[in-house]
C-alpha cells in the first residue's frame, strides 16, 4: 500500500467518525476527528481513560492551530519556533472542538506536527486530529507499531500501514502550559 492510499483510507475513516492508529512525530497515536464528540468518546473508551483527563490534538500548521484557540499568545509562537523537539502547548480559550475534548478550565493541548506522514494526514483531513498515545491508560506508550497491544489493534477502525516496520526509539512530546498572562508551566519536559 502506498502512503497516499494509507492517508486516503485514514481520512475516510476519520470522516466517518472512526478511530485510527497512526504514526506521529512522537510515538504511535490513537486518533479521531477532534470536532466529533462521539469519536472522542470512543477514544476515551478504547484507552480506558477518564474523560476528565484531556487529550492532545495534532494540527498541520499555524493557521490550523489558530482555528481552535480564541487568542494564541505571542509567547506560544516564540516557544514553538524555538522548540528543538515536538512540543505540545496547552492554551486557554479552546473553540470549534468536541466539548468532551476541552479541559474543564477551557484549555486544549495542541501540537503542530512537522513529521511528513502525520502532517500530510492532518492537511488532508483539514481538521484537528486527536493524538493520544497508543496504549491503555497507565501502560507504556507504543514507540513503534510492534509495541501496540493486540487489544488496541482490534479496537480501532483503521490501522495505518506507514512506518509499521520502523524500530527506533521515540519519546512523547514536551508539554508546556501557557497561562493567560504569558506564564509558562512545564508539564512534561
Amino acid at each position: 500500500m502506498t502512503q497516499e492510499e494509507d492517508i486516503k483510507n485514514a481520512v475516510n475513516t476519520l470522516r466517518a467518525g472512526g478511530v485510527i492508529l497512526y504514526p506521529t512525530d512522537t510515538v504511535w497515536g490513537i486518533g479521531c476527528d477532534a470536532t466529533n464528540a462521539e469519536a472522542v468518546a470512543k477514544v476515551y473508551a478504547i484507552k480506558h481513560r477518564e474523560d476528565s483527563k484531556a487529550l492532545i490534538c495534532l494540527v498541520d500548521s499555524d493557521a490550523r492551530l489558530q482555528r481552535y484557540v480564541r487568542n494564541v499568545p505571542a509567547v506560544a509562537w516564540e516557544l514553538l519556533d524555538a522548540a528543538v523537539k515536538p512540543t505540545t502547548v496547552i492554551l486557554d480559550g479552546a473553540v470549534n472542538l468536541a466539548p468532551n475534548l476541552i479541559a474543564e478550565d477551557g484549555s486544549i493541548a495542541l501540537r503542530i506536527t512537522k513529521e511528513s506522514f502525520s502532517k500530510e494526514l492532518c492537511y488532508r483531513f483539514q481538521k484537528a486530529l486527536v493524538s493520544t498515545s497508543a496504549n491503555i491508560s497507565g501502560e507504556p506508550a507504543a514507540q513503534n507499531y510492534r509495541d501496540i497491544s493486540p487489544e488496541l489493534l482490534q479496537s480501532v477502525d483503521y490501522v495505518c500501514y506507514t512506518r509499521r516496520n520502523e524500530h527506533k526509539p521515540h519519546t512523547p512530546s514536551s508539554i508546556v502550559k501557557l497561562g493567560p498572562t504569558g506564564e509558562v508551566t512545564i508539564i512534561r519536559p
Side-chain angles (χ1 to χ4, degrees), residues 46-143:
I46 288 168
K47 280 188 70 83
H48 304 288
R49 183 174 176 148
E50 297 172 35
D51 63 9
S52 61
K53 293 185 176 184
L55 302 172
I56 292 171
C57 293
L58 213 56
V59 294
D60 64 318
S61 65
D62 294 359
R64 188 112 39 226
L65 183 139
Q66 290 178 294
R67 289 186 189 176
Y68 301 109
V69 178
R70 277 194 184 84
N71 295 302
V72 180
V75 68
W77 300 122
E78 292 166 15
L79 179 73
L80 291 170
D81 286 343
V84 294
K85 69 177 266 191
T87 301
T88 299
V89 289
I90 300 173
L91 301 168
D92 291 327
V95 293
N96 304 320
L97 292 164
N100 54 343
L101 193 57
I102 300 170
E104 288 181 19
D105 66 0
S107 67
I108 189 66
L110 291 160
R111 185 169 74 250
I112 301 170
T113 180
K114 294 178 174 85
E115 183 271 330
S116 63
F117 180 81
S118 54
K119 185 177 182 77
E120 185 68 14
L121 177 62
C122 290
Y123 174 75
R124 295 286 179 88
F125 186 52
Q126 295 285 298
K127 292 183 190 178
L129 186 60
V130 166
S131 183
T132 183
S133 57
N135 62 311
I136 303 298
S137 267
E139 294 180 3
Q143 293 184 37

